[in-house]
């Protein structure tokens, strides 16, 4: 059995749209923070048909009338202790296929997230990258971090950035995934406004925006400038400019949802209130900036030195996850 740990990442320049879905070429280059306190732990081992039969029978006994959900399972996938149905398992099986020689090499994967799953808290980035790391060990491939990142993007684009930290970039033109250097010690506070699963997955959301948003071409053009500038501001250790651009880039990404057909939004009322709250704090001298992904939750970008103080302020009003970045 192998056991691995992988970290979630949150983008400060967003990946939103695919130029070529088959080759996994993103429409936009992206930059993210890899977070020390938002992670997935994954165990993986080889199993046989009998193991699958026993596990499925146990599940059916526990929960009658669910036989159909577990038909044709070829691997076992447990998420936070619960056996996942064949549809969810198949998604992970396809990722394992990138490593195994044939489907007779069956595996049991047990994964635990220390954060809510699929609420736009980037559990897919840590989850997928953890499966890739586990496969690398179980199938004894010895791939480098760069090679693993390149494989991981086929599981989920954002997961590829979790192989580098504290800051990672994914370049749309060269395809490279690499560490970005800065002397800034960045950190994040996730404000958990809603723990429910998101209504529109990132994959479907970005596809709809790329196909129908009247703002999409402009988003792609501006994002190219944002990517260059963000790298410059990080190299210059200019936190104010990094923060300001983080907010601007996030709002531009979300503008593509408002201008899609049909239009949609990942935000709720609390998201808007929270953005205002953060702006007010800033007007009062606090160094903090917001960003949002494919869900209503707000992530606060700050400096590590202000983490404790800001956690105190946000903790009074919100359920929070506080995280430094991790050096990989
Ligand atoms: C990001 N997101 O850069 C952006 C911002 C969400 C909003 O990458 O289709 O789950 O598997 O490549 O990686 C989430 O997208 O999508 C994401 P696929 P993924 O973090």
């Amino acid at each position: 059995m192998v056991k691995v740990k992988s970290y979630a990442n949150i983008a400060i320049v967003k990946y939103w749209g695919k130029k070529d879905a088959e080759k996994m070429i993103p429409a936009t280059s992206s930059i993210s923070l890899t977070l020390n306190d938002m992670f997935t732990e994954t165990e993986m081992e080889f199993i046989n048909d009998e193991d699958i039969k026993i596990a499925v029978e146990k599940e059916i006994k526990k929960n009658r009338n669910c036989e159909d959900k577990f038909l044709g399972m070829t691997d076992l996938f447990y998420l936070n202790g619960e056996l996942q149905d064949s549809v969810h398992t198949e998604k992970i099986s396809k990722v394992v296929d990138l490593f195994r020689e044939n489907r007779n090499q069956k595996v049991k994967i047990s994964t635990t997230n220390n954060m809510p799953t699929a609420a736009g808290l980037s559990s897919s980035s840590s989850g997928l990258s953890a499966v890739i790391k586990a496969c690398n060990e179980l199938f004894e491939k010895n791939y480098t971090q760069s090679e693993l990142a390149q494989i991981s993007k086929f599981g989920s684009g954002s997961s590829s950035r979790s192989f580098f930290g504290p800051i990672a970039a994914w370049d749309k033109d060269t395809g490279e995934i690499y560490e970005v250097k800065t002397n800034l010690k960045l950190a994040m506070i996730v404000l958990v406004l809603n723990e429910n699963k998101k209504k529109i997955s990132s994959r479907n959301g970005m596809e709809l925006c790329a196909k129908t948003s009247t703002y999409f071409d402009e988003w792609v053009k501006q994002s190219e400038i944002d990517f260059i500038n963000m790298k410059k501001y990080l190299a210059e250790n200019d936190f104010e400019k990094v923060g300001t651009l983080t907010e601007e880039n996030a709002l531009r990404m979300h503008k593509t949802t408002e201008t899609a057909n049909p239009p949609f939004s990942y935000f709720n009322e609390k998201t808007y209130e929270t953005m205002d709250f953060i702006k007010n704090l800033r007007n009062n001298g606090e160094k903090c900036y917001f960003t949002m992904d494919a869900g209503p939750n707000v992530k606060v970008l700050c400096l590590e030195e202000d983490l404790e103080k800001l956690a105190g302020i946000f903790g009074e009003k919100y359920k929070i996850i506080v995280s430094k970045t991790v050096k990989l």
Side-chain angles (χ1 to χ4, degrees), residues 107-242:
V107 295
K108 174 181 170 185
I109 303 153
S110 307
T111 265
T112 48
N113 288 328
N114 82 326
M115 65 203 130
T117 303
L121 289 181
S122 212
S123 51
S124 87
S125 68
S126 58
L128 262 303
S129 55
V131 171
I132 296 283
K133 281 184 191 177
C135 284
N136 190 45
E137 291 190 18
L138 192 68
F139 293 93
E140 296 177 354
K141 295 290 187 191
N142 282 319
Y143 288 132
T144 63
Q145 292 299 299
S146 294
E147 287 167 333
L148 291 174
Q150 291 298 334
I151 298 171
S152 201
K153 73 183 178 192
F154 290 99
S156 141
S158 57
S159 71
S160 64
R161 295 185 310 238
S162 285
F163 289 85
F164 295 91
I167 304 185
W170 179 16
D171 190 305
K172 73 178 171 65
D173 296 316
T174 63
E176 275 175 295
I177 299 146
Y178 56 92
E179 187 190 334
V180 176
K181 304 273 186 209
T182 180
N183 291 336
L184 291 175
K185 288 214 173 309
L186 300 175
M188 275 195 174
I189 302 171
V190 177
L191 311 180
V192 185
L193 308 180
N194 183 333
E195 294 187 44
N196 295 333
K197 272 199 170 195
K198 55 196 164 196
K199 291 194 191 88
I200 304 175
S201 70
S202 305
R203 188 162 292 188
N204 294 340
M206 68 171 83
E207 192 185 345
L208 182 65
C209 292
K211 276 192 184 143
T212 67
S213 164
T214 50
Y215 177 69
F216 197 78
D217 288 346
E218 213 175 308
W219 150 250
V220 171
K221 253 188 238 158
Q222 183 60 43
S223 166
E224 202 154 333
I225 300 166
D226 291 353
F227 182 67
I228 293 165
N229 283 339
M230 188 61 92
K231 286 205 287 188
K232 183 168 164 269
Y233 301 155
L234 286 166
E236 291 167 353
N237 307 313
D238 190 333
F239 181 62
E240 199 179 324
K241 284 189 178 159
V242 166

Side-chain angles (χ1 to χ4, degrees), residues 9 11 13-16 18 24 30 124 153 155-159 161 202-203 206 253 293-294:
N9 70 72
V13 175
K14 309 288 186 190
Y15 148 53
W16 192 247
K18 294 180 179 71
M24 273 310 280
S30 51
S124 87
K153 73 183 178 192
S156 141
S158 57
S159 71
R161 295 185 310 238
S202 305
R203 188 162 292 188
M206 68 171 83
M253 178 199 122
D293 295 294

Side-chain angles (χ1 to χ4, degrees), residues 14-30:
K14 309 288 186 190
Y15 148 53
W16 192 247
K18 294 180 179 71
K19 196 173 167 198
D20 186 328
E22 213 161 294
K23 296 192 187 128
M24 273 310 280
I25 301 172
T28 61
S29 299
S30 51

Side-chain angles (χ1 to χ4, degrees), residues 199-200 254 257-258 262-268 271-272 293-296:
K199 291 194 191 88
I200 304 175
H254 287 277
T257 72
E258 293 156 21
F264 66 103
S265 177
Y266 287 112
F267 297 170
N268 64 23
T271 314
Y272 289 104
D293 295 294

